[in-house]
Coordinates of all heavy atoms in Angstrom, one line a residue:
M1 N 182.2 207.0 223.5 CA 183.1 207.8 224.4 C 182.8 209.3 224.2 O 182.7 210.0 225.2 CB 184.5 207.5 224.0 CG 185.5 208.2 224.8 SD 187.2 207.7 224.4 CE 188.1 208.7 225.6
I2 N 182.6 209.7 223.0 CA 182.4 211.1 222.8 C 181.0 211.5 223.2 O 180.8 212.6 223.7 CB 182.6 211.5 221.2 CG1 184.0 211.3 220.9 CG2 182.1 212.9 220.9 CD1 184.4 211.6 219.4
G3 N 180.0 210.6 223.1 CA 178.7 210.8 223.6 C 178.6 210.9 225.1 O 177.6 211.6 225.6
N4 N 179.6 210.5 225.8 CA 179.5 210.5 227.2 C 180.2 211.7 227.8 O 180.2 211.9 229.1 CB 180.2 209.3 227.8 CG 179.5 208.0 227.5 OD1 178.3 208.0 227.2 ND2 180.2 206.9 227.4
M5 N 180.7 212.6 226.9 CA 181.4 213.8 227.4 C 180.5 214.9 227.9 O 179.4 215.0 227.4 CB 182.3 214.4 226.3 CG 183.4 213.5 225.9 SD 184.4 214.1 224.6 CE 185.3 215.4 225.5
K6 N 180.8 215.5 229.0 CA 180.0 216.6 229.6 C 180.4 217.9 229.0 O 181.5 218.0 228.4 CB 180.3 216.6 231.1 CG 179.8 215.3 231.8 CD 180.1 215.4 233.3 CE 179.5 214.2 233.9 NZ 180.5 213.3 234.5
P7 N 179.5 218.9 229.0 CA 179.8 220.2 228.4 C 181.1 220.8 228.9 O 181.8 221.5 228.1 CB 178.6 221.0 228.7 CG 177.5 220.1 229.0 CD 178.2 218.8 229.5
L8 N 181.4 220.7 230.2 CA 182.7 221.2 230.7 C 183.9 220.6 230.1 O 184.9 221.2 229.8 CB 182.6 221.1 232.3 CG 183.8 221.7 233.0 CD1 183.9 223.2 232.7 CD2 183.8 221.4 234.4
E9 N 183.8 219.3 229.9 CA 185.0 218.6 229.3 C 185.2 219.1 227.8 O 186.3 219.2 227.4 CB 184.7 217.1 229.3 CG 184.7 216.5 230.7 CD 184.3 215.0 230.7 OE1 183.6 214.6 229.8 OE2 184.6 214.4 231.7
I10 N 184.1 219.3 227.1 CA 184.2 219.8 225.7 C 184.8 221.1 225.7 O 185.6 221.4 224.9 CB 182.7 219.7 225.0 CG1 182.2 218.3 224.9 CG2 182.8 220.4 223.7 CD1 180.8 218.2 224.5
L11 N 184.3 222.0 226.6 CA 184.9 223.4 226.7 C 186.4 223.4 227.0 O 187.1 224.2 226.5 CB 184.1 224.2 227.7 CG 182.8 224.7 227.3 CD1 182.1 225.4 228.5 CD2 182.9 225.7 226.1
L12 N 186.8 222.5 227.8 CA 188.2 222.3 228.2 C 189.0 221.9 227.0 O 190.1 222.4 226.8 CB 188.4 221.3 229.4 CG 189.8 221.1 229.9 CD1 190.3 222.4 230.5 CD2 189.8 220.0 230.9
I13 N 188.5 221.0 226.2 CA 189.2 220.5 225.0 C 189.3 221.6 224.0 O 190.4 221.8 223.4 CB 188.5 219.3 224.4 CG1 188.7 218.1 225.4 CG2 189.0 219.0 223.0 CD1 187.9 216.9 225.0
I14 N 188.2 222.4 223.8 CA 188.2 223.5 222.9 C 189.3 224.6 223.3 O 190.0 225.1 222.5 CB 186.8 224.1 222.7 CG1 186.0 223.1 222.0 CG2 186.9 225.5 222.0 CD1 184.5 223.5 222.0
A15 N 189.3 224.9 224.6 CA 190.2 225.8 225.2 C 191.7 225.4 225.0 O 192.6 226.2 224.6 CB 190.0 226.1 226.7
V16 N 192.0 224.1 225.1 CA 193.3 223.6 224.9 C 193.7 223.7 223.4 O 194.8 224.1 223.1 CB 193.5 222.2 225.4 CG1 194.7 221.5 224.9 CG2 193.4 222.1 226.9
I17 N 192.8 223.4 222.5 CA 193.0 223.6 221.1 C 193.3 225.0 220.7 O 194.2 225.3 220.0 CB 191.8 223.0 220.3 CG1 191.8 221.5 220.4 CG2 192.0 223.4 218.8 CD1 190.6 220.8 219.8
V18 N 192.5 225.9 221.2 CA 192.7 227.3 221.0 C 194.1 227.8 221.5 O 194.8 228.6 220.8 CB 191.6 228.2 221.5 CG1 191.9 229.7 221.5 CG2 190.3 227.9 220.8
L19 N 194.4 227.3 222.7 CA 195.8 227.7 223.2 C 196.9 227.1 222.4 O 197.9 227.8 222.2 CB 195.8 227.3 224.7 CG 195.0 228.1 225.7 CD1 195.1 227.4 227.0 CD2 195.6 229.5 225.7
L20 N 196.7 226.0 222.0 CA 197.8 225.3 221.1 C 198.0 225.9 219.8 O 199.1 226.2 219.4 CB 197.5 223.8 221.0 CG 197.8 222.9 222.2 CD1 197.4 221.5 221.9 CD2 199.2 222.9 222.6
F21 N 196.9 226.2 219.1 CA 197.0 226.6 217.7 C 196.8 228.2 217.6 O 197.2 228.7 216.5 CB 196.0 225.9 216.8 CG 196.3 224.4 216.7 CD1 195.5 223.5 217.4 CD2 197.5 224.0 216.1 CE1 195.8 222.1 217.3 CE2 197.7 222.6 216.0 CZ 196.9 221.7 216.6
G22 N 196.2 228.8 218.5 CA 195.9 230.2 218.4 C 194.6 230.5 217.6 O 194.2 229.7 216.8
A23 N 193.9 231.5 218.0 CA 192.6 231.8 217.4 C 192.7 232.2 216.0 O 191.8 232.0 215.2 CB 192.0 233.0 218.2
K24 N 193.8 232.7 215.5 CA 194.0 233.2 214.1 C 194.2 232.0 213.2 O 193.8 232.0 212.0 CB 195.2 234.1 214.0 CG 194.9 235.5 214.7 CD 196.0 236.4 214.4 CE 195.8 237.8 215.1 NZ 196.8 238.7 214.9
K25 N 194.8 230.9 213.6 CA 195.1 229.8 212.9 C 193.9 228.8 212.7 O 193.8 228.1 211.7 CB 196.2 228.9 213.4 CG 197.6 229.6 213.3 CD 198.0 229.2 211.9 CE 199.5 229.7 211.7 NZ 200.0 229.4 210.3
L26 N 193.0 228.9 213.6 CA 191.8 227.9 213.6 C 191.0 228.0 212.3 O 190.7 227.1 211.7 CB 191.0 228.0 214.8 CG 191.7 227.5 216.1 CD1 190.8 227.6 217.3 CD2 192.0 226.0 215.9
P27 N 190.6 229.3 211.9 CA 189.7 229.4 210.7 C 190.5 228.9 209.5 O 189.9 228.2 208.6 CB 189.5 230.9 210.6 CG 189.6 231.5 211.9 CD 190.6 230.6 212.6
E28 N 191.8 229.2 209.4 CA 192.6 228.8 208.3 C 192.7 227.2 208.2 O 192.6 226.6 207.2 CB 194.0 229.4 208.4 CG 195.0 228.9 207.3 CD 196.3 229.5 207.5 OE1 196.5 230.7 208.0 OE2 197.3 228.9 207.1
M29 N 192.8 226.6 209.4 CA 192.9 225.1 209.5 C 191.6 224.5 209.1 O 191.5 223.5 208.4 CB 193.3 224.7 210.9 CG 194.8 225.0 211.2 SD 195.2 224.7 212.9 CE 194.7 223.1 213.2
A30 N 190.5 225.2 209.5 CA 189.1 224.7 209.2 C 188.9 224.7 207.7 O 188.4 223.8 207.1 CB 188.1 225.5 209.9
R31 N 189.4 225.8 207.0 CA 189.2 226.0 205.6 C 190.0 224.9 204.9 O 189.6 224.2 203.9 CB 189.7 227.3 205.1 CG 188.6 228.3 205.0 CD 189.1 229.6 204.4 NE 188.9 230.7 205.3 CZ 189.8 231.3 206.1 NH1 191.0 230.9 206.1 NH2 189.5 232.2 206.9
S32 N 191.2 224.6 205.3 CA 192.1 223.6 204.8 C 191.5 222.2 204.9 O 191.5 221.4 204.0 CB 193.5 223.6 205.4 OG 194.1 224.8 205.2
L33 N 190.9 222.0 206.0 CA 190.3 220.7 206.3 C 189.0 220.5 205.4 O 188.8 219.5 204.8 CB 189.8 220.6 207.8 CG 189.2 219.3 208.2 CD1 190.3 218.1 208.0 CD2 188.7 219.4 209.6
G34 N 188.3 221.6 205.2 CA 187.1 221.5 204.3 C 187.5 221.4 202.8 O 186.9 220.6 202.1
K35 N 188.6 222.0 202.4 CA 189.1 221.9 201.1 C 189.6 220.5 200.8 O 189.3 219.9 199.8 CB 190.2 222.9 200.7 CG 190.7 222.8 199.4 CD 191.9 223.8 199.1 CE 191.4 225.2 199.1 NZ 192.6 226.1 198.8
S36 N 190.3 219.9 201.8 CA 190.7 218.5 201.7 C 189.6 217.5 201.6 O 189.6 216.6 200.8 CB 191.6 218.1 202.9 OG 192.8 219.0 202.9
A37 N 188.5 217.8 202.4 CA 187.3 216.9 202.3 C 186.6 217.0 201.0 O 186.2 216.0 200.4 CB 186.4 217.3 203.4
R38 N 186.6 218.2 200.4 CA 186.0 218.3 199.1 C 186.8 217.6 198.0 O 186.2 217.0 197.2 CB 185.8 219.8 198.7 CG 184.7 220.5 199.4 CD 184.4 221.8 198.8 NE 185.5 222.8 198.9 CZ 185.7 223.5 200.0 NH1 184.9 223.6 201.0 NH2 186.8 224.4 200.0
I39 N 188.1 217.7 198.1 CA 189.0 217.0 197.1 C 188.8 215.5 197.3 O 188.7 214.8 196.2 CB 190.5 217.5 197.3 CG1 190.6 218.9 196.9 CG2 191.4 216.6 196.5 CD1 192.0 219.6 197.2
L40 N 188.8 215.0 198.5 CA 188.7 213.6 198.7 C 187.3 213.1 198.2 O 187.3 212.1 197.5 CB 188.8 213.3 200.2 CG 188.7 211.8 200.6 CD1 189.8 211.0 200.0 CD2 188.6 211.7 202.1
K41 N 186.3 213.9 198.4 CA 184.9 213.5 197.9 C 184.9 213.5 196.4 O 184.3 212.6 195.8 CB 184.0 214.5 198.5 CG 182.5 214.2 198.1 CD 181.5 215.2 198.8 CE 180.1 214.9 198.4 NZ 179.2 215.9 198.9
S42 N 185.5 214.5 195.8 CA 185.4 214.5 194.3 C 186.3 213.4 193.7 O 185.9 212.8 192.7 CB 185.9 215.9 193.8 OG 187.3 216.1 194.0
E43 N 187.4 213.1 194.3 CA 188.2 212.0 193.8 C 187.5 210.7 194.0 O 187.6 209.8 193.1 CB 189.6 212.0 194.6 CG 190.5 213.1 194.2 CD 191.0 213.1 192.7 OE1 191.2 211.9 192.2 OE2 191.1 214.2 192.2
A44 N 186.9 210.4 195.1 CA 186.1 209.2 195.3 C 185.0 209.1 194.3 O 184.8 208.0 193.7 CB 185.6 209.2 196.7
K45 N 184.3 210.2 194.0 CA 183.3 210.2 193.0 C 183.8 209.9 191.6 O 183.3 209.1 190.9 CB 182.6 211.6 193.0 CG 181.3 211.5 192.1 CD 180.6 213.0 192.1 CE 180.0 213.2 193.4 NZ 179.2 214.5 193.4
A46 N 185.0 210.4 191.3 CA 185.6 210.2 190.0 C 186.0 208.7 189.9 O 185.9 208.1 188.8 CB 186.8 211.1 189.8
M47 N 186.5 208.1 191.0 CA 186.9 206.7 190.9 C 185.7 205.9 190.7 O 185.8 204.8 190.0 CB 187.7 206.4 192.2 CG 189.0 206.9 192.3 SD 189.9 206.6 193.9 CE 189.9 204.8 193.8
K48 N 184.6 206.2 191.4 CA 183.3 205.4 191.3 C 182.9 205.5 189.8 O 182.5 204.4 189.2 CB 182.3 205.9 192.2 CG 182.4 205.4 193.6 CD 181.3 205.9 194.5 CE 181.5 205.5 195.9 NZ 180.4 206.0 196.8
S49 N 182.8 206.6 189.3 CA 182.3 206.8 187.8 C 183.3 206.1 186.9 O 182.8 205.5 185.9 CB 182.1 208.2 187.5 OG 183.4 208.9 187.4
E50 N 184.6 206.1 187.2 CA 185.6 205.5 186.3 C 185.4 204.0 186.4 O 185.4 203.3 185.3 CB 187.0 205.9 186.8 CG 188.0 205.7 185.8 CD 189.3 206.3 186.3 OE1 189.6 207.5 186.2 OE2 190.2 205.5 186.8
S51 N 185.2 203.4 187.5 CA 185.1 202.0 187.7 C 183.7 201.6 187.0 O 183.6 200.4 186.4 CB 185.1 201.5 189.1 OG 184.1 202.0 189.9
A52 N 182.7 202.4 187.2 CA 181.4 202.1 186.5 C 181.5 202.1 185.0 O 181.0 201.2 184.3 CB 180.3 203.0 187.0
A53 N 182.3 203.0 184.5 CA 182.5 203.1 183.0 C 183.3 201.8 182.5 O 183.0 201.3 181.5 CB 183.2 204.3 182.7
E54 N 184.3 201.5 183.3 CA 185.1 200.3 183.0 C 184.3 199.0 183.0 O 184.3 198.1 182.2 CB 186.3 200.1 183.9 CG 187.4 201.1 183.7 CD 188.5 201.0 184.7 OE1 188.4 200.1 185.6 OE2 189.4 201.8 184.7
D55 N 183.4 198.9 184.0 CA 182.5 197.8 184.1 C 181.5 197.7 182.9 O 181.3 196.7 182.4 CB 181.7 197.8 185.4 CG 182.6 197.5 186.6 OD1 183.7 197.0 186.5 OD2 182.1 197.8 187.7
A56 N 181.0 198.9 182.5 CA 180.1 198.9 181.4 C 180.8 198.6 180.1 O 180.3 197.9 179.2 CB 179.5 200.3 181.3
A57 N 182.1 199.0 180.0 CA 182.9 198.6 178.8 C 183.1 197.1 178.8 O 183.1 196.6 177.7 CB 184.1 199.4 178.8
R58 N 183.4 196.5 179.9 CA 183.7 195.1 180.0 C 182.4 194.3 179.5 O 182.5 193.3 178.9 CB 184.1 194.7 181.3 CG 185.6 194.7 181.5 CD 186.0 194.0 182.7 NE 187.1 194.8 183.3 CZ 187.0 195.5 184.5 NH1 185.9 195.4 185.2 NH2 188.0 196.2 184.9
V59 N 181.2 194.7 180.0 CA 180.0 194.1 179.7 C 179.7 194.2 178.2 O 179.2 193.3 177.5 CB 178.8 194.6 180.5 CG1 177.5 194.1 180.1 CG2 179.1 194.3 182.0
A60 N 179.9 195.4 177.7 CA 179.6 195.7 176.2 C 180.6 194.9 175.3 O 180.2 194.5 174.2 CB 179.6 197.2 176.0
D61 N 181.8 194.8 175.7 CA 182.8 194.2 174.8 C 183.6 193.1 175.7 O 184.6 193.5 176.3 CB 183.8 195.3 174.3 CG 184.8 194.7 173.3 OD1 184.5 193.6 172.8 OD2 185.9 195.3 173.1
P62 N 183.2 191.9 175.7 CA 183.8 190.9 176.5 C 185.2 190.5 176.0 O 185.9 189.8 176.8 CB 182.8 189.7 176.5 CG 182.0 189.9 175.2 CD 182.0 191.4 175.0
A63 N 185.6 190.8 174.8 CA 186.9 190.4 174.4 C 187.9 191.2 175.0 O 187.8 192.4 175.2 CB 186.9 190.7 172.8
P64 N 189.0 190.6 175.5 CA 190.1 191.3 176.2 C 190.9 192.2 175.4 O 191.1 191.9 174.2 CB 190.9 190.2 176.8 CG 190.7 189.0 175.9 CD 189.3 189.2 175.4
Q65 N 191.1 193.4 175.9 CA 191.9 194.4 175.1 C 193.2 194.6 175.8 O 193.4 194.5 177.0 CB 191.2 195.7 175.0 CG 189.9 195.6 174.3 CD 189.2 197.0 174.3 OE1 189.6 197.9 175.0 NE2 188.1 197.1 173.5
Q66 N 194.3 194.8 175.0 CA 195.6 195.0 175.6 C 195.6 196.5 176.1 O 195.3 197.4 175.4 CB 196.7 194.8 174.5 CG 198.0 194.8 175.1 CD 199.1 194.4 174.1 OE1 198.8 194.4 172.9 NE2 200.3 194.1 174.5
A67 N 196.0 196.6 177.3 CA 196.1 197.9 178.0 C 197.3 198.6 177.6 O 198.3 198.0 177.1 CB 196.1 197.7 179.5
A68 N 197.3 199.9 177.6 CA 198.4 200.7 177.3 C 199.6 200.4 178.3 O 199.3 200.1 179.4 CB 198.0 202.2 177.3
P69 N 200.8 200.5 177.9 CA 201.9 200.3 178.8 C 201.9 201.2 180.0 O 201.6 202.4 179.8 CB 203.2 200.4 177.9 CG 202.8 201.3 176.8 CD 201.3 201.0 176.6
R70 N 202.1 200.7 181.1 CA 202.2 201.5 182.3 C 203.5 202.4 182.3 O 204.5 201.9 181.9 CB 202.1 200.7 183.6 CG 200.9 200.0 183.8 CD 200.8 199.2 185.1 NE 202.2 199.1 185.7 CZ 202.4 198.5 186.8 NH1 201.4 197.9 187.5 NH2 203.6 198.4 187.4
T71 N 203.4 203.6 182.8 CA 204.6 204.4 182.8 C 204.9 204.9 184.2 O 203.9 205.0 185.1 CB 204.5 205.6 181.9 OG1 203.3 206.4 182.3 CG2 204.3 205.2 180.5
I72 N 206.1 205.2 184.5 CA 206.4 205.7 185.8 C 206.3 207.2 185.7 O 206.8 207.9 184.7 CB 207.9 205.4 186.2 CG1 208.0 203.9 186.3 CG2 208.3 206.1 187.5 CD1 209.5 203.4 186.5
K73 N 205.5 207.8 186.5 CA 205.3 209.3 186.4 C 206.5 210.1 187.0 O 207.1 209.8 188.0 CB 204.1 209.7 187.3 CG 202.8 209.0 186.9 CD 202.3 209.5 185.6 CE 201.0 208.8 185.2 NZ 200.5 209.0 184.0
A74 N 206.9 211.1 186.3 CA 207.9 212.0 186.6 C 207.4 213.2 187.4 O 206.2 213.4 187.4 CB 208.7 212.4 185.4
A75 N 208.2 214.0 187.9 CA 207.9 215.2 188.6 C 207.3 216.1 187.5 O 207.7 216.1 186.4 CB 209.0 215.8 189.3
P76 N 206.4 217.1 187.9 CA 205.8 218.0 187.0 C 206.9 218.8 186.3 O 207.8 219.4 186.9 CB 204.9 218.9 187.8 CG 204.6 218.1 189.0 CD 205.8 217.2 189.2
G77 N 206.9 218.9 185.0 CA 207.9 219.6 184.2 C 209.2 218.8 183.9 O 210.0 219.2 183.0
D78 N 209.3 217.6 184.4 CA 210.5 216.8 184.1 C 210.1 215.8 183.1 O 209.6 214.7 183.4 CB 211.0 216.1 185.5 CG 212.2 215.2 185.2 OD1 212.8 215.4 184.2 OD2 212.5 214.3 186.0
V79 N 210.3 216.1 181.8 CA 209.9 215.2 180.7 C 210.9 214.1 180.5 O 210.7 213.1 179.8 CB 209.7 215.9 179.4 CG1 208.5 216.8 179.6 CG2 210.9 216.7 179.0
T80 N 212.1 214.2 181.1 CA 213.2 213.2 180.8 C 213.0 212.0 181.7 O 213.5 210.9 181.5 CB 214.6 213.7 181.0 OG1 214.7 214.2 182.4 CG2 214.8 214.9 180.1
G81 N 212.3 212.1 182.9 CA 212.2 211.1 183.9 C 211.1 210.1 183.6 O 211.0 209.1 184.2
S82 N 210.1 210.4 182.7 CA 209.0 209.5 182.4 C 209.4 208.5 181.4 O 209.9 208.8 180.4 CB 207.8 210.3 181.9 OG 206.7 209.5 181.6
R83 N 209.2 207.2 181.8 CA 209.5 206.1 180.9 C 208.7 204.9 181.1 O 208.0 204.8 182.2 CB 211.0 205.7 181.2 CG 211.2 205.2 182.5 CD 212.7 204.9 182.8 NE 213.0 204.6 184.2 CZ 212.7 203.5 184.8 NH1 212.3 202.5 184.1 NH2 213.0 203.4 186.1
P84 N 208.5 204.0 180.1 CA 207.7 202.8 180.4 C 208.3 202.0 181.5 O 209.5 202.0 181.7 CB 207.8 202.1 179.0 CG 208.1 203.2 178.0 CD 209.0 204.2 178.7
V85 N 207.5 201.2 182.1 CA 207.9 200.4 183.3 C 208.9 199.4 182.9 O 209.9 199.1 183.6 CB 206.6 199.8 184.0 CG1 207.1 198.9 185.1 CG2 205.8 200.9 184.5
G86 N 208.7 198.7 181.8 CA 209.5 197.6 181.4 C 210.9 198.0 180.8 O 211.8 197.2 180.7
E87 N 211.1 199.3 180.5 CA 212.3 199.7 179.9 C 213.3 200.1 180.9 O 212.9 200.8 181.8 CB 212.0 200.9 178.9 CG 211.9 200.5 177.5 CD 211.7 201.8 176.6 OE1 212.4 202.8 176.8 OE2 210.8 201.7 175.8
P88 N 214.6 199.8 180.7 CA 215.6 200.4 181.6 C 215.8 201.9 181.4 O 215.5 202.4 180.3 CB 216.9 199.6 181.2 CG 216.6 199.1 179.9 CD 215.2 199.0 179.7
N89 N 216.2 202.5 182.4 CA 216.5 204.0 182.4 C 217.7 204.2 181.7 O 218.8 204.0 182.2 CB 216.4 204.5 183.8 CG 216.4 206.1 183.8 OD1 216.4 206.7 182.7 ND2 216.2 206.6 185.0
H90 N 217.7 204.8 180.4 CA 218.9 205.1 179.7 C 219.5 206.5 180.1 O 220.7 206.7 179.7 CB 218.7 205.1 178.2 CG 218.3 203.7 177.7 ND1 219.2 202.7 177.7 CD2 217.1 203.3 177.3 CE1 218.6 201.6 177.2 NE2 217.3 201.9 177.0
T91 N 218.8 207.3 180.8 CA 219.3 208.7 181.2 C 220.2 208.6 182.3 O 221.0 209.5 182.5 CB 218.1 209.6 181.5 OG1 217.4 209.1 182.6 CG2 217.2 209.7 180.3
A92 N 220.3 207.5 183.1 CA 221.2 207.5 184.3 C 222.6 207.2 183.8 O 222.8 206.3 183.0 CB 220.7 206.4 185.3
Q93 N 223.5 207.9 184.3 CA 224.9 207.7 184.1 C 225.5 206.8 185.1 O 225.5 207.1 186.3 CB 225.7 209.0 184.1 CG 225.2 210.0 183.0 CD 225.5 209.6 181.6 OE1 226.5 208.9 181.3 NE2 224.5 209.8 180.7
G94 N 226.1 205.7 184.7 CA 226.6 204.6 185.7 C 227.9 204.5 185.8 O 229.0 204.5 185.9

């Protein structure tokens, strides 16, 4: 569909985008999009290397190991809200 577009149609779409967002906002939006793409790429690379390390550890040590207890993550700076998954929340007043 995009390959079938004529140059006039592409210019019309670009003009509509400039009119909607303004010429000053477009570079800022492009920077944000680029930053998001870099973050996504680095996170995907970290996940791949993490899974490769886990696979190598499984091959090296076939005996099952007990994993650390999962915890519910709290908001940054909120140390009272983080607790193990299996434990009831004692901080709530009922």
Side-chain angles (χ1 to χ4, degrees):
M1 180 176 182
I2 293 177
N4 297 336
M5 294 179 72
K6 297 181 175 115
L8 184 60
E9 293 170 340
I10 294 172
L11 284 175
L12 183 64
I13 290 171
I14 291 172
V16 169
I17 290 172
V18 169
L19 286 173
L20 284 175
F21 296 108
K24 292 182 180 181
K25 284 281 188 182
L26 288 177
E28 181 182 323
M29 290 172 53
R31 269 189 238 99
S32 297
L33 185 63
K35 186 184 284 187
S36 299
R38 281 192 300 273
I39 291 170
L40 180 66
K41 184 178 177 182
S42 67
E43 290 295 325
K45 188 183 287 187
M47 286 177 61
K48 283 182 182 178
S49 66
E50 199 174 277
S51 70
E54 287 175 1
D55 290 343
R58 269 193 222 113
V59 170
D61 186 20
Q65 295 178 351
Q66 190 174 15
R70 295 182 347 178
T71 58
I72 298 173
K73 301 288 183 186
D78 181 18
V79 294
T80 61
S82 179
R83 60 184 171 82
V85 175
E87 260 181 47
N89 189 357
H90 294 290
T91 59
Q93 300 293 324

